[in-house]
Amino acid sequence: MRLFEADRHERLSGSRWDASVARRAIDAIVHDCEEWFSSGRLWPPHPLDAESEKASAPYTMLYLGAAGTIWALDDLARRGLAAQTGPFAEALAELESLNLREIGDPPEGIESYLIGRSGVLLTRWRVRPAPEIAERLARSIAANTRNPTRELLWGAPGTMHAALAMHEWTGESRWAGLFLSSARALEDALIEGPEGCQLWDQELYGRRSTYLGAGHGFAGNAGAIVRGLALFPLRERAEWIERIVRTTMATARREDSLANWPAWPASARDERFLVQWCHGAPGLVTSLGTLRDARLDDVLVAAGELVWKAGPLRKGSSFCHGTAGNGYAFLKLFVRTGDQRWLDRARAFAMHAIQQSEAHAASYGMRRYSLYTGDPGLAIYLARCIAGKSDWPTLDPES
């Protein structure tokens, strides 16, 4: 099969869905997060996340670190699945300065959403709202409008999500204005892609590249636009929908009833097909699953079939490159189509992910305290599987 690399995946465990098992797994993750938290040290970095074997400083960011773990615990608390997050509020007050120290190089990442200041500030406002936090967040979003990375983790598409979240929570027009300013900067930066479609290039880590996935490329950028479509004037909204649909269709690769997207648009000889949230079909589905355009129905379903055929990822249970992130594609398709098989598949991946998480915890003697690469994200995925919901924390309106 050309559309995925079989050695990156493993056979589905076959364990039957059991909501009580999922709830116990959520409880275990929540209690472990509470026990391992220290007001001075936050949560310890996991060996799989540490850039060196001797890394000991806690991570702070929304993607990988304390802000994301607190976001996850707050999300679960709002659903009655964890204690209230008041004990962590004081730690959030220190995260902004700690985060600046952590990611000050490269400088273009300082204001970013999943890595930098804006994500930390949004988490702080979410847990304990205050006008001065909102003011600093607004300045951070504005400063990131023309970030040259032009992708979700570092660039304006990420801070557009911060603006949209604040608009959804407060209804204040200034957040819509910040979103639209960044969206129009993204429009100015479009480049020509294959078959007349339009994409973006990304200046990342000293290189200029063009990616298609959710983490660093087209899908993640398009997902931010899709979330805010209602804020555009009708003409601009129609133009964005046409642009997104055309590019999605032009860059898809099909084999029979399956579809995937290469990590980057290239000649057939050079194409690389991954099946994980950050690159490949799962991220395309989670980013575009709420765009109600019938022209996407068939290709998104074909992408879901590809994720199912490939099976769970060997890497583990996480969002970014793990079984929970891939399973989220099934949740999106369940909500989009109403077809029960997608929820059944999401729940099958959930049972497998629980086993992966427990095996990793036993192997390393600790859990992985991270929203996108660890166990708190898995707990959210399990909660969504129980409820039959598909909202992705930090990137979707809450349901």
Side-chain angles (χ1 to χ4, degrees), residues 172-224:
E172 293 178 12
S173 61
R174 64 168 165 166
W175 304 109
L178 286 165
F179 166 81
L180 291 170
S181 293
S182 289
R184 285 157 186 161
L186 273 185
E187 184 176 20
D188 292 341
L190 284 161
I191 62 173
E192 291 301 314
E195 300 182 31
C197 72
Q198 292 181 298
L199 296 161
W200 292 274
D201 56 7
Q202 289 79 34
E203 296 179 25
L204 288 167
Y205 315 120
R207 298 176 53 192
R208 184 182 291 267
S209 306
T210 300
Y211 293 107
L212 294 174
H216 294 298
F218 161 75
N221 296 7

Side-chain angles (χ1 to χ4, degrees), residues 157-381:
T159 41
M160 288 161 67
H161 280 288
L164 287 168
M166 290 298 288
H167 185 260
E168 290 156 8
W169 296 340
T170 70
E172 293 178 12
S173 61
R174 64 168 165 166
W175 304 109
L178 286 165
F179 166 81
L180 291 170
S181 293
S182 289
R184 285 157 186 161
L186 273 185
E187 184 176 20
D188 292 341
L190 284 161
I191 62 173
E192 291 301 314
E195 300 182 31
C197 72
Q198 292 181 298
L199 296 161
W200 292 274
D201 56 7
Q202 289 79 34
E203 296 179 25
L204 288 167
Y205 315 120
R207 298 176 53 192
R208 184 182 291 267
S209 306
T210 300
Y211 293 107
L212 294 174
H216 294 298
F218 161 75
N221 296 7
I225 296 294
V226 169
R227 181 176 178 181
L229 275 174
L231 299 179
F232 291 102
L234 287 176
R235 181 186 58 79
E236 285 185 70
R237 189 186 312 171
E239 289 172 351
W240 274 115
I241 292 172
E242 186 62 32
R243 185 179 290 129
I244 290 168
V245 170
R246 180 178 299 176
T247 298
T248 302
M249 303 301 290
T251 55
R253 302 292 180 265
R254 303 291 297 265
E255 285 188 9
D256 302 322
S257 62
L258 309 178
N260 200 2
W261 287 259
W264 52 83
S267 66
R269 182 183 61 185
D270 298 327
E271 287 181 335
R272 176 99 187 268
F273 292 96
L274 301 175
V275 186
Q276 55 198 49
W277 172 77
C278 47
H279 294 292
L284 268 291
V285 176
T286 58
S287 298
L288 305 180
T290 58
L291 179 54
R292 296 293 182 172
D293 189 296
R295 291 172 294 176
L296 292 179
D297 289 348
D298 180 65
V299 75
L300 293 180
V301 166
E305 294 292 352
L306 184 282
V307 176
W308 179 248
K309 185 174 182 64
L313 279 157
R314 290 186 183 277
K315 272 193 171 184
S317 61
S318 68
F319 275 4
C320 188
H321 29 255
T323 300
N326 284 19
Y328 244 103
F330 304 143
L331 291 177
K332 288 287 185 183
L333 288 168
F334 170 64
V335 172
R336 184 182 181 92
T337 67
D339 189 335
Q340 180 68 29
R341 68 178 166 140
W342 295 115
L343 182 57
D344 293 341
R345 290 176 173 184
R347 288 171 167 173
F349 267 42
M351 299 302 288
H352 189 95
I354 290 169
Q355 295 178 21
Q356 289 179 309
S357 171
E358 292 174 346
H360 268 213
S363 176
Y364 286 95
M366 64 181 294
R367 292 190 183 272
R368 205 169 176 180
Y369 305 103
S370 163
L371 177 57
Y372 273 74
T373 68
D375 293 284
L378 170 60
I380 288 178
Y381 175 64

